[in-house]
Amino acid sequence: MEAEINNDLSAMIKLKENFKDLAEGNIQIPKGKLNSRIKNCIDDKVLSLYQDLLINDSGPLFKHFLASIPNILEELSRISISLKKLNESDDFLCSYWEIEAFDGTNGRALNKILKTEINILTNSPNFSNKKYFINYNSSGKNYFEFGTFFEIYDLMFQKKQFFDFIYEMAAFQFYGRDRYEHVSLVKKRLAKRGIAIFLEKLMNSDENEFILQEDTKDWIYKKRFFSEEEIIWKRKFMLEDMHKGLLTKNEFEITLCSLFENVALIWNSTNFYEYLATNDTEKFDRFLCEIGDPYIETVFQFYMPVLIKRGANVYK
């Protein structure tokens, strides 16, 4: 095996039973109705279909994910609708790996709105997610692999499989702080002109700002779906271990810039951030042009999208 998990640092191993309960719907079930804040404001039947698929054709853990990060439903929509439009002009992507994307809801929904389906791989180290993938899957182009990021990386390495698009769905915090290693492995599995998006929960050099972000997320957004007792329970029994694997925003940006020619912060919601990274400047520019501005409720946005690096030019 080329990549190995560090058992001493892995929150995924420590929290295995909690995530099993989440995936089986035994705990932390969203009480309020999940809905899009933009669906009724935009006359777009494809967007409406896509968002309905995310909400209705998903298992308990993906629903918990939607109810835990402010406006992530709207952001996943922005990314997938943009990919659809880019693929209609040419073969912008033919293969896609969603890293630890629960039951594959996002990838399955994308293939349903594409005119021509592509190969989409979802992996999860939580076996309970597999049954929801099977229950909702209707395409032979969608694939599910049970295993950690490192295990599936090794499988793809052995198969010499590369991807046009890779999306990391807030997975790396569970495997310690060596983000250089994690991102390097993603880069090794990208096709020559491939692009990657990293959804990361990040600390802040200002601890007070991080606390404010966490409180804003919990007591304004998550309280729509969870009781105060549930929010406090998760903080105590899950987040303390999960936060041990976080980098600061600055540390992660330095890591990306050391590995990619082009980097941009494309979305922020409290202490979650989404970064676009690639060595292909033409695809980088096209994607940034296509996605436009994000939808984010003002109270949750602490940082605006910003170009960080383009070729030899570093902007911050």
PDB file of all heavy atoms in Angstrom, residues 12 33 36 65 76 78 128 146 155 162 178 182-183 198 200 209 211 248 251 258 264 309:
ATOM      1  N   MET A  12     -11.931   9.241  12.773  1.00  0.00           N
ATOM      2  CA  MET A  12     -12.863   8.324  12.138  1.00  0.00           C
ATOM      3  C   MET A  12     -12.917   6.997  12.893  1.00  0.00           C
ATOM      4  O   MET A  12     -13.983   6.411  13.076  1.00  0.00           O
ATOM      5  CB  MET A  12     -12.453   8.087  10.683  1.00  0.00           C
ATOM      6  CG  MET A  12     -13.429   7.248   9.890  1.00  0.00           C
ATOM      7  SD  MET A  12     -15.050   8.030   9.745  1.00  0.00           S
ATOM      8  CE  MET A  12     -14.663   9.341   8.585  1.00  0.00           C
ATOM      9  N   LYS A  33     -37.943  20.559   8.488  1.00  0.00           N
ATOM     10  CA  LYS A  33     -37.949  20.178   7.077  1.00  0.00           C
ATOM     11  C   LYS A  33     -36.755  20.787   6.366  1.00  0.00           C
ATOM     12  O   LYS A  33     -36.530  21.995   6.414  1.00  0.00           O
ATOM     13  CB  LYS A  33     -39.249  20.657   6.419  1.00  0.00           C
ATOM     14  CG  LYS A  33     -39.336  20.321   4.934  1.00  0.00           C
ATOM     15  CD  LYS A  33     -40.665  20.729   4.360  1.00  0.00           C
ATOM     16  CE  LYS A  33     -40.706  20.536   2.846  1.00  0.00           C
ATOM     17  NZ  LYS A  33     -40.407  19.145   2.442  1.00  0.00           N
ATOM     18  N   SER A  36     -34.509  24.270   0.396  1.00  0.00           N
ATOM     19  CA  SER A  36     -33.604  25.237  -0.216  1.00  0.00           C
ATOM     20  C   SER A  36     -34.117  26.651   0.007  1.00  0.00           C
ATOM     21  O   SER A  36     -35.314  26.915  -0.082  1.00  0.00           O
ATOM     22  CB  SER A  36     -33.482  24.967  -1.713  1.00  0.00           C
ATOM     23  OG  SER A  36     -32.847  26.042  -2.361  1.00  0.00           O
ATOM     24  N   PHE A  65     -25.848  15.828   7.371  1.00  0.00           N
ATOM     25  CA  PHE A  65     -24.852  16.716   6.782  1.00  0.00           C
ATOM     26  C   PHE A  65     -25.505  18.002   6.265  1.00  0.00           C
ATOM     27  O   PHE A  65     -25.029  19.106   6.538  1.00  0.00           O
ATOM     28  CB  PHE A  65     -24.142  15.956   5.655  1.00  0.00           C
ATOM     29  CG  PHE A  65     -23.238  16.776   4.779  1.00  0.00           C
ATOM     30  CD1 PHE A  65     -21.994  17.190   5.214  1.00  0.00           C
ATOM     31  CD2 PHE A  65     -23.624  17.096   3.477  1.00  0.00           C
ATOM     32  CE1 PHE A  65     -21.143  17.926   4.392  1.00  0.00           C
ATOM     33  CE2 PHE A  65     -22.781  17.823   2.641  1.00  0.00           C
ATOM     34  CZ  PHE A  65     -21.548  18.239   3.104  1.00  0.00           C
ATOM     35  N   LEU A  76     -23.822  22.886  -3.065  1.00  0.00           N
ATOM     36  CA  LEU A  76     -23.682  21.682  -3.882  1.00  0.00           C
ATOM     37  C   LEU A  76     -24.457  21.843  -5.191  1.00  0.00           C
ATOM     38  O   LEU A  76     -24.028  21.362  -6.244  1.00  0.00           O
ATOM     39  CB  LEU A  76     -24.170  20.458  -3.118  1.00  0.00           C
ATOM     40  CG  LEU A  76     -23.317  20.032  -1.917  1.00  0.00           C
ATOM     41  CD1 LEU A  76     -23.977  18.864  -1.188  1.00  0.00           C
ATOM     42  CD2 LEU A  76     -21.898  19.653  -2.338  1.00  0.00           C
ATOM     43  N   ARG A  78     -24.968  24.734  -6.761  1.00  0.00           N
ATOM     44  CA  ARG A  78     -24.191  25.639  -7.623  1.00  0.00           C
ATOM     45  C   ARG A  78     -23.090  24.880  -8.350  1.00  0.00           C
ATOM     46  O   ARG A  78     -22.867  25.071  -9.559  1.00  0.00           O
ATOM     47  CB  ARG A  78     -23.592  26.763  -6.778  1.00  0.00           C
ATOM     48  CG  ARG A  78     -22.802  27.781  -7.582  1.00  0.00           C
ATOM     49  CD  ARG A  78     -22.335  28.958  -6.746  1.00  0.00           C
ATOM     50  NE  ARG A  78     -21.257  28.634  -5.838  1.00  0.00           N
ATOM     51  CZ  ARG A  78     -20.099  29.313  -5.751  1.00  0.00           C
ATOM     52  NH1 ARG A  78     -19.879  30.356  -6.535  1.00  0.00           N
ATOM     53  NH2 ARG A  78     -19.177  28.968  -4.885  1.00  0.00           N
ATOM     54  N   SER A 128     -22.765   1.329   6.624  1.00  0.00           N
ATOM     55  CA  SER A 128     -24.212   1.580   6.679  1.00  0.00           C
ATOM     56  C   SER A 128     -24.678   2.485   5.546  1.00  0.00           C
ATOM     57  O   SER A 128     -25.857   2.484   5.193  1.00  0.00           O
ATOM     58  CB  SER A 128     -24.585   2.196   8.021  1.00  0.00           C
ATOM     59  OG  SER A 128     -24.289   1.313   9.091  1.00  0.00           O
ATOM     60  N   PHE A 146     -16.641   0.675  -0.372  1.00  0.00           N
ATOM     61  CA  PHE A 146     -16.549   0.745   1.081  1.00  0.00           C
ATOM     62  C   PHE A 146     -15.075   0.807   1.476  1.00  0.00           C
ATOM     63  O   PHE A 146     -14.284  -0.058   1.114  1.00  0.00           O
ATOM     64  CB  PHE A 146     -17.212  -0.489   1.710  1.00  0.00           C
ATOM     65  CG  PHE A 146     -16.915  -0.662   3.177  1.00  0.00           C
ATOM     66  CD1 PHE A 146     -17.296   0.299   4.101  1.00  0.00           C
ATOM     67  CD2 PHE A 146     -16.254  -1.807   3.627  1.00  0.00           C
ATOM     68  CE1 PHE A 146     -17.024   0.130   5.452  1.00  0.00           C
ATOM     69  CE2 PHE A 146     -15.984  -1.984   4.970  1.00  0.00           C
ATOM     70  CZ  PHE A 146     -16.369  -1.007   5.888  1.00  0.00           C
ATOM     71  N   LEU A 155      -6.586   1.480  -3.913  1.00  0.00           N
ATOM     72  CA  LEU A 155      -7.313   0.716  -4.919  1.00  0.00           C
ATOM     73  C   LEU A 155      -7.239   1.410  -6.272  1.00  0.00           C
ATOM     74  O   LEU A 155      -6.992   0.768  -7.303  1.00  0.00           O
ATOM     75  CB  LEU A 155      -8.770   0.549  -4.480  1.00  0.00           C
ATOM     76  CG  LEU A 155      -9.685  -0.219  -5.434  1.00  0.00           C
ATOM     77  CD1 LEU A 155      -9.197  -1.660  -5.607  1.00  0.00           C
ATOM     78  CD2 LEU A 155     -11.125  -0.193  -4.927  1.00  0.00           C
ATOM     79  N   PHE A 162      -7.521   7.519 -12.904  1.00  0.00           N
ATOM     80  CA  PHE A 162      -7.419   8.961 -12.698  1.00  0.00           C
ATOM     81  C   PHE A 162      -8.786   9.594 -12.918  1.00  0.00           C
ATOM     82  O   PHE A 162      -9.641   9.032 -13.611  1.00  0.00           O
ATOM     83  CB  PHE A 162      -6.381   9.573 -13.646  1.00  0.00           C
ATOM     84  CG  PHE A 162      -4.995   9.031 -13.459  1.00  0.00           C
ATOM     85  CD1 PHE A 162      -4.542   7.954 -14.222  1.00  0.00           C
ATOM     86  CD2 PHE A 162      -4.148   9.574 -12.508  1.00  0.00           C
ATOM     87  CE1 PHE A 162      -3.262   7.441 -14.042  1.00  0.00           C
ATOM     88  CE2 PHE A 162      -2.866   9.074 -12.324  1.00  0.00           C
ATOM     89  CZ  PHE A 162      -2.431   8.008 -13.084  1.00  0.00           C
ATOM     90  N   ASP A 178      -2.001  16.107   8.734  1.00  0.00           N
ATOM     91  CA  ASP A 178      -1.032  16.108   7.631  1.00  0.00           C
ATOM     92  C   ASP A 178      -1.750  16.348   6.303  1.00  0.00           C
ATOM     93  O   ASP A 178      -1.881  15.459   5.456  1.00  0.00           O
ATOM     94  CB  ASP A 178      -0.260  14.787   7.596  1.00  0.00           C
ATOM     95  CG  ASP A 178       0.934  14.854   6.647  1.00  0.00           C
ATOM     96  OD1 ASP A 178       1.073  15.873   5.923  1.00  0.00           O
ATOM     97  OD2 ASP A 178       1.726  13.900   6.628  1.00  0.00           O
ATOM     98  N   HIS A 182      -2.521  14.414   2.452  1.00  0.00           N
ATOM     99  CA  HIS A 182      -3.868  14.171   1.928  1.00  0.00           C
ATOM    100  C   HIS A 182      -4.051  14.808   0.554  1.00  0.00           C
ATOM    101  O   HIS A 182      -4.515  14.158  -0.394  1.00  0.00           O
ATOM    102  CB  HIS A 182      -4.913  14.755   2.898  1.00  0.00           C
ATOM    103  CG  HIS A 182      -4.810  14.249   4.291  1.00  0.00           C
ATOM    104  ND1 HIS A 182      -5.200  14.984   5.382  1.00  0.00           N
ATOM    105  CD2 HIS A 182      -4.328  13.085   4.794  1.00  0.00           C
ATOM    106  CE1 HIS A 182      -4.988  14.299   6.492  1.00  0.00           C
ATOM    107  NE2 HIS A 182      -4.455  13.149   6.155  1.00  0.00           N
ATOM    108  N   VAL A 183      -3.680  16.076   0.436  1.00  0.00           N
ATOM    109  CA  VAL A 183      -3.870  16.797  -0.825  1.00  0.00           C
ATOM    110  C   VAL A 183      -2.938  16.241  -1.904  1.00  0.00           C
ATOM    111  O   VAL A 183      -3.312  16.159  -3.078  1.00  0.00           O
ATOM    112  CB  VAL A 183      -3.652  18.306  -0.619  1.00  0.00           C
ATOM    113  CG1 VAL A 183      -3.754  19.052  -1.951  1.00  0.00           C
ATOM    114  CG2 VAL A 183      -4.679  18.870   0.366  1.00  0.00           C
ATOM    115  N   PHE A 198     -12.021  21.170  -2.530  1.00  0.00           N
ATOM    116  CA  PHE A 198     -11.842  20.708  -1.161  1.00  0.00           C
ATOM    117  C   PHE A 198     -12.814  21.446  -0.252  1.00  0.00           C
ATOM    118  O   PHE A 198     -12.746  22.670  -0.130  1.00  0.00           O
ATOM    119  CB  PHE A 198     -10.407  20.970  -0.695  1.00  0.00           C
ATOM    120  CG  PHE A 198      -9.364  20.278  -1.526  1.00  0.00           C
ATOM    121  CD1 PHE A 198      -8.824  20.890  -2.658  1.00  0.00           C
ATOM    122  CD2 PHE A 198      -8.917  19.006  -1.186  1.00  0.00           C
ATOM    123  CE1 PHE A 198      -7.873  20.259  -3.434  1.00  0.00           C
ATOM    124  CE2 PHE A 198      -7.956  18.358  -1.961  1.00  0.00           C
ATOM    125  CZ  PHE A 198      -7.435  18.985  -3.078  1.00  0.00           C
ATOM    126  N   GLU A 200     -13.557  21.977   3.446  1.00  0.00           N
ATOM    127  CA  GLU A 200     -12.793  21.783   4.671  1.00  0.00           C
ATOM    128  C   GLU A 200     -13.377  22.598   5.826  1.00  0.00           C
ATOM    129  O   GLU A 200     -13.772  23.754   5.640  1.00  0.00           O
ATOM    130  CB  GLU A 200     -11.341  22.252   4.459  1.00  0.00           C
ATOM    131  CG  GLU A 200     -10.533  21.398   3.511  1.00  0.00           C
ATOM    132  CD  GLU A 200      -9.812  20.258   4.228  1.00  0.00           C
ATOM    133  OE1 GLU A 200      -9.410  20.444   5.397  1.00  0.00           O
ATOM    134  OE2 GLU A 200      -9.652  19.196   3.605  1.00  0.00           O
ATOM    135  N   GLU A 209     -12.740  34.170  16.732  1.00  0.00           N
ATOM    136  CA  GLU A 209     -13.531  34.122  15.506  1.00  0.00           C
ATOM    137  C   GLU A 209     -14.027  32.712  15.243  1.00  0.00           C
ATOM    138  O   GLU A 209     -15.178  32.517  14.829  1.00  0.00           O
ATOM    139  CB  GLU A 209     -12.724  34.626  14.313  1.00  0.00           C
ATOM    140  CG  GLU A 209     -13.542  34.596  13.022  1.00  0.00           C
ATOM    141  CD  GLU A 209     -12.867  35.277  11.860  1.00  0.00           C
ATOM    142  OE1 GLU A 209     -12.099  34.599  11.148  1.00  0.00           O
ATOM    143  OE2 GLU A 209     -13.121  36.474  11.668  1.00  0.00           O
ATOM    144  N   ILE A 211     -14.700  30.432  17.456  1.00  0.00           N
ATOM    145  CA  ILE A 211     -15.787  30.184  18.417  1.00  0.00           C
ATOM    146  C   ILE A 211     -17.070  30.861  17.948  1.00  0.00           C
ATOM    147  O   ILE A 211     -18.161  30.276  18.019  1.00  0.00           O
ATOM    148  CB  ILE A 211     -15.383  30.664  19.828  1.00  0.00           C
ATOM    149  CG1 ILE A 211     -14.237  29.794  20.367  1.00  0.00           C
ATOM    150  CG2 ILE A 211     -16.586  30.623  20.780  1.00  0.00           C
ATOM    151  CD1 ILE A 211     -13.619  30.324  21.647  1.00  0.00           C
ATOM    152  N   THR A 248      -5.490  25.546  10.366  1.00  0.00           N
ATOM    153  CA  THR A 248      -6.005  26.902  10.248  1.00  0.00           C
ATOM    154  C   THR A 248      -6.250  27.189   8.769  1.00  0.00           C
ATOM    155  O   THR A 248      -5.711  26.522   7.879  1.00  0.00           O
ATOM    156  CB  THR A 248      -5.041  27.953  10.805  1.00  0.00           C
ATOM    157  OG1 THR A 248      -3.859  27.976   9.989  1.00  0.00           O
ATOM    158  CG2 THR A 248      -4.669  27.661  12.255  1.00  0.00           C
ATOM    159  N   GLU A 251      -2.947  27.880   7.064  1.00  0.00           N
ATOM    160  CA  GLU A 251      -2.153  26.664   6.854  1.00  0.00           C
ATOM    161  C   GLU A 251      -2.656  25.879   5.647  1.00  0.00           C
ATOM    162  O   GLU A 251      -1.861  25.371   4.838  1.00  0.00           O
ATOM    163  CB  GLU A 251      -2.210  25.774   8.098  1.00  0.00           C
ATOM    164  CG  GLU A 251      -1.402  26.285   9.274  1.00  0.00           C
ATOM    165  CD  GLU A 251      -1.619  25.474  10.531  1.00  0.00           C
ATOM    166  OE1 GLU A 251      -2.732  24.911  10.705  1.00  0.00           O
ATOM    167  OE2 GLU A 251      -0.685  25.407  11.365  1.00  0.00           O
ATOM    168  N   SER A 258       1.246  25.275  -2.439  1.00  0.00           N
ATOM    169  CA  SER A 258       2.504  24.555  -2.630  1.00  0.00           C
ATOM    170  C   SER A 258       2.354  23.381  -3.600  1.00  0.00           C
ATOM    171  O   SER A 258       3.341  22.862  -4.107  1.00  0.00           O
ATOM    172  CB  SER A 258       3.034  24.043  -1.285  1.00  0.00           C
ATOM    173  OG  SER A 258       2.222  22.990  -0.773  1.00  0.00           O
ATOM    174  N   ALA A 264      -8.353  28.982  -5.556  1.00  0.00           N
ATOM    175  CA  ALA A 264      -9.310  30.035  -5.206  1.00  0.00           C
ATOM    176  C   ALA A 264     -10.210  29.563  -4.074  1.00  0.00           C
ATOM    177  O   ALA A 264     -10.595  28.387  -4.031  1.00  0.00           O
ATOM    178  CB  ALA A 264     -10.162  30.429  -6.408  1.00  0.00           C
ATOM    179  N   LYS A 309      -4.315  32.209  -5.992  1.00  0.00           N
ATOM    180  CA  LYS A 309      -3.133  31.987  -6.830  1.00  0.00           C
ATOM    181  C   LYS A 309      -3.589  31.648  -8.240  1.00  0.00           C
ATOM    182  O   LYS A 309      -4.511  30.850  -8.435  1.00  0.00           O
ATOM    183  CB  LYS A 309      -2.280  30.842  -6.267  1.00  0.00           C
ATOM    184  CG  LYS A 309      -1.015  30.533  -7.065  1.00  0.00           C
ATOM    185  CD  LYS A 309      -0.280  29.327  -6.467  1.00  0.00           C
ATOM    186  CE  LYS A 309       0.973  28.996  -7.253  1.00  0.00           C
ATOM    187  NZ  LYS A 309       1.645  27.778  -6.740  1.00  0.00           N
TER     188      LYS A 309
END
